[in-house]
């Protein structure tokens, strides 16, 4: 083994950095006693080609510069220090470790007893010490060349008020796409193909939110069952794109960048679902892959009175320690890297409440949020929180700081309950349809702080939501005990597939009801990928381990699927054309002109405005809401007043037809039907209807009417 030339190098940037002359390696470890850099020629190599001891240590960062090393070099670290689990230390130099700052990984975890820092089967469990070498079984970190021809690509910075999010999985979106070449299916390159881009453009979405693409680990217990961690919420590398999604794994970074650049050129933003709350190393009985062996006490939240064990706010065995400045730095450096080097437009933070836990309680102004808010780069991108974790007090919908949007779980639950026919929902429904001002207005946020969704990757698809009363997760091989049981009762007759025309019609209508409600509500809508095509998971509401046809989008479409896709596309076009459905300010609900016209009005079926007593009636399942488009009181980015047409949205969750009297208006103009979910497609414009006319709103249906502005109304008095 020849000796490599070396220089002291620098403590920053962390990770492996190629500067054109050589590579600087830097690794943080507060409690280590020694660090070795190990170089490899192959990912499955058992013995390293070179072992270089890092002699320089600055501010707890071990570093060295190697002039002879080039991009493509495989490497890992061995870190020496105390193995004292009861004191929170789990150093074991027999375990080759992934660089937390690695920009690419090669190889996958090959499970064996050598992957654990303790002896499997020992009566003292994790208190024992394992001296086996795991090098052939652990992914190798890769030195990369970061140069890429971005051209004029830059962040799209699409306003939140113009944003429609499409949640998708890199692999599942194209695995069955007939127009994507076989070699590109399930890859970043597959998402960048013309058929996929044109589909997203025609559909009318503005951003694609990708399930985790950080390098991940397949859990051993899943592989033993013939399953995988398909969703990918098991990160081990916060800078490295997952190589299994690359058509050519050695080009994974370039292929990811090409995907982003191509989507940007089509006007589509890229948002990443990121998992900074926990890692793939699990609890105290988990493997030693990276953070645990580098500095367990710094990277993880340990129980104060028993540091052998981990605080677990995520249900995965561990929680990252964002109270430690270096762990916080890791997350911030990762976010900046994906923003500046990989050009992504935003992030959705999995179980974000776990990041706010300074001590035990969720702290709304935790250090993590303070730092992001003042960061000149990250404060400008889209930031979306999943505002809960599984710990005590972890449900934090509405409590995140200004600058953050949130998955609005209360919106999801309310819309589901209403269209199921549950009573007592109208008061909550009013807030959810109008942007959830009760959750966001007091903190100075806007309606677009609410990410509205009814279905997501976690749970039933839209089709299954109205087709199954209970979960059917048998394929997960946990005796259907996993996941949460919705216990739905959609009155759709039978559970699962059926040939009954009446039941099928009701299901499709309920899907139209839900989708129309989602796309006509104030806030930012998020569509679960494939819902617009009638995608089913056969009742599986926890398909995290199903990398197969259960999860992949089926692009073969029936006539009903085609009709629903056209319905979705037409609704998205309607939303894009009318700013009254995507206001940037909350409604005031009062007269703002001399004439008695409110920007938002709620009506009973008799055509009269709802009273406070009406809002409290538990049996009310039918109501209307009028959106005064010429009362938006907002201006565009050029300062021009925003004006729109006036719309009347009618909703009936009751099973019987209810005659709805069209309300009186100070500017008497006729109404024209735009949408009626009794019809499978958006209808051609129907004959005009005058105020006072009766509109028969069928059971479990929604209708949207638009005021015809071609008929002149009385002149309004100027506002004083």
């Amino acid at each position: 083994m020849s000796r490599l030339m070396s220089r002291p190098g620098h403590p920053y940037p962390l990770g492996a950095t190629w500067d054109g002359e050589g590579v600087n390696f830097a690794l943080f470890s507060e409690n280590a006693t020694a660090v070795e850099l190990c170089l490899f020629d192959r990912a499955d190599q058992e013995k390293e080609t070179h072992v270089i001891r890092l002699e320089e240590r600055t501010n707890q960062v071990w570093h060295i510069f190697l002039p002879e090393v080039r991009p493509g070099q495989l490497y890992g670290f061995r870190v020496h220090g105390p193995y004292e689990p009861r004191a929170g230390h789990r150093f074991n130099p027999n375990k080759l470790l992934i660089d937390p700052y690695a920009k690419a990984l090669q190889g996958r975890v090959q499970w064996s007893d050598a992957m654990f820092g303790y002896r499997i089967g020992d009566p003292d469990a994790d208190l024992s010490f394992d001296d086996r070498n795991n090098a052939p079984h652990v992914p190798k970190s890769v030195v990369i060349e970061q140069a890429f021809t971005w051209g004029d690509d830059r962040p799209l910075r699409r306003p939140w008020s113009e944003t429609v999010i499409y949640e998708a999985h890199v692999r599942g979106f194209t695995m069955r796409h007939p127009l994507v070449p076989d070699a590109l299916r399930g890859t970043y390159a597959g998402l960048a193909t013309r058929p996929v881009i044109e589909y997203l453009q025609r559909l009318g979405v503005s951003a694609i939110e990708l399930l985790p693409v950080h390098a991940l680990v397949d859990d051993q217990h899943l592989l033993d069952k013939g399953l995988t961690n398909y969703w990918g919420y098991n990160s081990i590398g916060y800078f490295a794109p997952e190589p299994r999604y690359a058509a050519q794994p050695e080009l994974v970074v370039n292929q990811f960048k090409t995907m982003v650049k191509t989507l940007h050129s089509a006007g589509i933003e890229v948002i990443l679902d990121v998992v900074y709350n926990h890692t793939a190393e699990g609890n105290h009985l988990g493997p030693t892959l990276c953070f645990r062996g580098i500095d367990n006490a710094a990277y993880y939240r340990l129980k104060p009175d028993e540091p052998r064990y981990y605080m677990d706010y995520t249900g995965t065995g561990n929680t990252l320690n964002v109270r430690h400045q270096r762990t916080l730095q890791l997350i911030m450096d990762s976010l900046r890297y994906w923003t500046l080097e990989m050009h992504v437009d935003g992030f959705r933070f999995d179980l974000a409440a776990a990041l706010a836990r300074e001590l035990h309680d969720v702290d709304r102004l935790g250090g993590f949020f303070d730092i992001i808010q003042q960061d000149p780069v990250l404060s400008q991108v889209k930031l979306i929180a999943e505002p809960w974790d599984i710990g005590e007090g972890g449900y934090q919908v509405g409590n995140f700081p200004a600058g953050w949007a949130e998955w609005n779980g209360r919106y999801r639950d309310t819309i589901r309950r209403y269209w199921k026919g549950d009573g007592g929902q109208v008061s909550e429904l009013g807030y959810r349809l109008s942007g959830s001002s009760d959750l966001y207005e007091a903190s100075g946020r806007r309606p677009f702080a609410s990410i509205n969704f009814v279905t997501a990757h976690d749970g039933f698809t839209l089709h299954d939501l109205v087709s199954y009363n209970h979960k059917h997760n048998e394929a997960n091989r946990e005796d259907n005990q996993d996941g949460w049981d919705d216990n739905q009762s959609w009155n759709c007759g039978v559970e699962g597939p059926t040939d009954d025309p009446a039941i099928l019609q009701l299901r499709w209508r309920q899907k139209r009801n839900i989708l129309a409600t989602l796309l006509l509500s104030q806030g930012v809508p998020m569509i679960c990928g494939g819902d617009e095509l009638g995608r089913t998971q056969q009742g599986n509401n926890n398909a995290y381990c199903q990398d197969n046809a259960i999860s992949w989008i089926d692009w073969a479409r029936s006539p009903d699927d085609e009709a629903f896709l056209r319905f979705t596309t037409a609704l998205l076009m309607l939303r894009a054309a009318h700013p009254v459905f995507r206001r940037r300010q909350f409604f005031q609900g009062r007269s703002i002109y001399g004439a008695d016209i409110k920007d938002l009005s709620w009506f009973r079926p008799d055509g009269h405005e709802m009273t406070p007593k009406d809002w409290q009636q538990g049996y009310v399942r039918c109501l209307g809401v009028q959106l005064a488009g010429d009362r938006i009181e907002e201006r565009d980015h050029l300062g021009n007043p925003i004006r729109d047409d006036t719309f009347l949205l009618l909703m009936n969750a009751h099973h019987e037809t209810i005659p709805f009297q069209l309300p009186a208006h100070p500017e008497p103009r006729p109404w024209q039907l735009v949408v009626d979910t009794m019809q499978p497609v958006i209808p051609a414009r129907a004959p005009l209807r005058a105020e006072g006319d009766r509109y028969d709103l069928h059971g479990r249906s929604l209708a949207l009417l638009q005021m015809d502005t071609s008929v002149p109304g009385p002149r309004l008095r100027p506002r004083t």
Side-chain angles (χ1 to χ4, degrees), residues 632-652:
I632 295 179
E633 288 294 282
E634 297 177 2
R635 295 181 180 272
D636 62 20
H637 65 286
L638 297 176
N640 300 314
I642 297 174
R643 292 291 180 262
D644 197 1
D645 295 333
T646 292
F647 287 86
L648 179 65
L649 179 64
L650 309 178
M651 303 171 67
N652 179 15

Side-chain angles (χ1 to χ4, degrees), residues 493-551:
V494 298
E495 184 157 350
T498 179
D499 294 326
D500 187 315
I503 295 174
L504 289 174
Q505 288 177 16
L506 177 57
R507 289 178 180 177
W508 281 108
R509 187 162 75 253
Q510 286 284 42
K511 289 197 292 184
R512 291 191 291 271
N513 290 334
I514 292 170
L515 190 73
T517 304
L518 174 67
L519 297 183
L520 298 176
S521 296
Q522 303 299 319
V524 178
M526 184 185 77
I527 299 171
C528 182
D531 275 355
E532 77 282 7
L533 298 170
R535 184 173 75 92
T536 177
Q537 293 179 166
Q538 292 87 55
N540 191 321
N541 74 348
N542 188 35
Y544 76 103
C545 55
Q546 300 296 332
D547 187 6
N548 51 50
I550 290 177
S551 297

Side-chain angles (χ1 to χ4, degrees), residues 53 90 122 130 252 255 353 430 437 441 583 632 659 709:
R53 195 175 185 88
R90 296 178 179 270
D122 190 282
D130 185 85
V252 60
Q255 291 191 353
S437 60
E441 189 172 25
R583 289 171 54 103
I632 295 179
T709 57

Side-chain angles (χ1 to χ4, degrees), residues 127-290:
L127 298 180
S128 63
F129 185 82
D130 185 85
D131 59 5
R132 282 172 289 190
N133 175 34
N134 71 334
H137 311 296
V138 70
K140 306 302 182 294
S141 305
V142 184
V143 178
I144 71 163
E145 165 62 79
Q146 291 190 181
F148 181 78
T149 305
W150 283 106
D152 60 356
D153 184 81
R154 58 181 54 85
L156 295 181
R157 301 283 171 85
R158 185 183 293 273
W160 273 117
S161 59
E162 298 176 9
T163 298
V164 177
I165 297 173
Y166 187 86
E167 188 194 38
H169 189 285
V170 171
R171 183 166 168 82
F173 193 66
T174 60
M175 278 301 293
R176 304 177 73 181
H177 200 300
L179 301 181
V180 174
D182 289 351
L184 301 184
R185 292 182 183 178
T187 70
Y188 305 119
L191 276 179
T193 56
R194 182 180 295 275
V196 171
I197 297 292
E198 290 180 346
Y199 174 81
L200 294 173
Q201 288 179 312
R202 287 196 303 269
L203 182 60
V205 297
S206 69
I208 186 167
E209 181 176 302
L210 299 176
L211 268 66
V213 299
H214 286 164
L216 64 100
V217 175
D218 286 312
D219 315 70
Q220 184 176 14
H221 74 275
L222 291 178
L223 294 177
D224 290 345
K225 297 177 182 178
L227 304 170
T228 64
N229 195 311
Y230 170 70
W231 284 351
Y233 291 90
N234 209 31
S235 302
I236 199 61
Y238 291 124
F239 294 78
E242 171 53 43
R244 74 184 70 183
Y245 304 145
Q248 297 170 277
E250 67 277 8
L251 300 177
V252 60
V253 176
N254 274 14
Q255 291 191 353
F256 184 91
K257 290 179 176 178
T258 299
M259 175 196 72
V260 172
K261 182 179 179 180
T262 306
L263 286 164
H264 280 179
S265 67
I268 299 171
E269 293 184 309
V270 178
I271 299 172
L272 300 187
D273 195 334
V274 289
V275 191
Y276 294 114
N277 53 75
H278 74 278
T279 79
E281 291 185 299
N283 64 15
H284 63 290
L285 297 177
T288 297
L289 305 172
C290 179

Side-chain angles (χ1 to χ4, degrees), residues 364 373 398-404 406 436-446 449 586:
R364 179 173 170 270
Q373 194 165 26
N399 290 334
F400 278 70
W404 284 77
E406 302 175 17
S436 296
S437 60
D438 58 326
L439 300 178
Y440 306 116
E441 189 172 25
S443 60
R445 288 189 282 174
R446 306 279 191 89
F586 286 107

Side-chain angles (χ1 to χ4, degrees), residues 416 420 459-461 463-474 480-491 494-497 507 536-542:
R416 286 185 175 196
K420 269 201 307 170
F460 284 134
T461 66
H463 180 85
D464 291 353
L465 182 67
V466 301
S467 302
Y468 293 88
N469 293 330
H470 302 281
K471 64 183 180 181
H472 291 271
N473 300 352
E474 290 81 5
N480 203 32
Q481 298 302 305
D482 63 297
W484 50 287
D485 201 333
D486 286 319
N487 290 316
Q488 306 290 343
S489 179
W490 287 84
N491 300 308
V494 298
E495 184 157 350
R507 289 178 180 177
T536 177
Q537 293 179 166
Q538 292 87 55
N540 191 321
N541 74 348
N542 188 35

